[in-house]
Amino acid sequence: MIYIALLRGINVGGNNKIEMKKLKQTFEHAGMGHVTTYINSGNIIFSSQERPNQELSLVLEQAILEDFSLPIRVIVRNMKEIQSIMEALPNEWSNDTQMKSDVMFLWDEINDISVLDKLPLKPGIGHVMYTPGAILFSVSKEQVTKSGLTKLVGTKLYQQMTVRNVNTTRQIYKLMQMAEQEELQDMSS
């Protein structure tokens, strides 16, 4: 089965530096297959026997701690879960000069629609929605500072999610689809 591991807080502002080539090796040594990294912010696509996400998260967090001496939190989502998020993500949302659109991937302890009530967002500015596993948020670039989104950073709630912009999320999904095709070809040969 194909999974994505989303690492929280690596290579941000010079902190928690992890080289992607070494991280790929860490995943392989932890028993993951077809490991591919995408950009420097901790997005790792891999295959594994079907296992609970929580179990894979713990295995990967422990491997990262052993290899890098960093207590990095890891969200794991399988292909079906990412596909569901992608189906909920409006096609017209983008991350460009006009619009800021993000996918906030949620740890299990806050993965519920009630999380929307805890966001410090101003009503009527931007669009926000919950889909299992994530909060989807989009706002015009000119209203980002008015949206209340910046008040989220540093909160306890913010510590229980990891954020990727929609462009990155869409690319991750494409890479997962490619990995799934490779896995199917391997199984048929």
Side-chain angles (χ1 to χ4, degrees), residues 119-126 145-149 151:
L119 294 173
L121 300 175
K122 290 187 182 165
I125 298 179
T145 57
K146 297 175 186 170
S147 70
L149 184 64
K151 293 179 183 175

Side-chain angles (χ1 to χ4, degrees), residues 14-150:
N15 296 322
N16 296 332
K17 289 189 153 259
I18 294 180
E19 185 184 321
M20 293 300 103
K21 186 176 179 182
K22 290 180 182 176
L23 184 61
K24 181 180 185 216
Q25 292 171 345
T26 295
F27 272 60
E28 290 168 346
H29 292 148
M32 308 309 144
H34 297 102
V35 180
T36 303
T37 63
Y38 176 65
I39 64 176
N40 226 19
S41 59
N43 310 296
I44 303 91
I45 295 102
F46 64 95
S47 65
S48 177
Q49 293 177 343
E50 193 167 340
R51 293 158 67 174
N53 294 350
Q54 192 77 329
E55 180 183 322
L56 286 167
S57 290
L58 292 173
V59 166
L60 295 170
E61 287 172 359
Q62 184 61 40
I64 292 166
L65 182 62
E66 288 173 10
D67 287 1
F68 299 97
S69 300
L70 293 170
I72 302 297
R73 292 203 63 197
V74 179
I75 289 179
V76 172
R77 295 287 178 257
N78 66 40
M79 184 65 168
K80 290 177 189 168
E81 292 164 325
I82 294 298
Q83 183 175 357
S84 177
I85 290 168
M86 295 307 297
E87 288 169 359
L89 185 64
N91 290 330
E92 65 275 10
W93 285 15
S94 62
N95 203 57
D96 55 26
T97 58
Q98 303 297 311
M99 185 182 286
K100 177 175 176 42
S101 302
D102 291 318
V103 178
M104 302 172 201
F105 292 94
L106 307 172
W107 262 269
D108 290 342
E109 54 265 30
I110 63 166
N111 187 9
D112 185 88
I113 195 165
S114 65
V115 73
L116 293 177
D117 298 331
K118 299 172 187 165
L119 294 173
L121 300 175
K122 290 187 182 165
I125 298 179
H127 304 280
V128 64
M129 65 181 87
Y130 169 82
T131 188
I135 297 168
L136 310 176
F137 181 72
S138 184
V139 65
S140 69
K141 284 276 180 147
E142 60 194 33
Q143 292 194 311
V144 169
T145 57
K146 297 175 186 170
S147 70
L149 184 64
T150 55

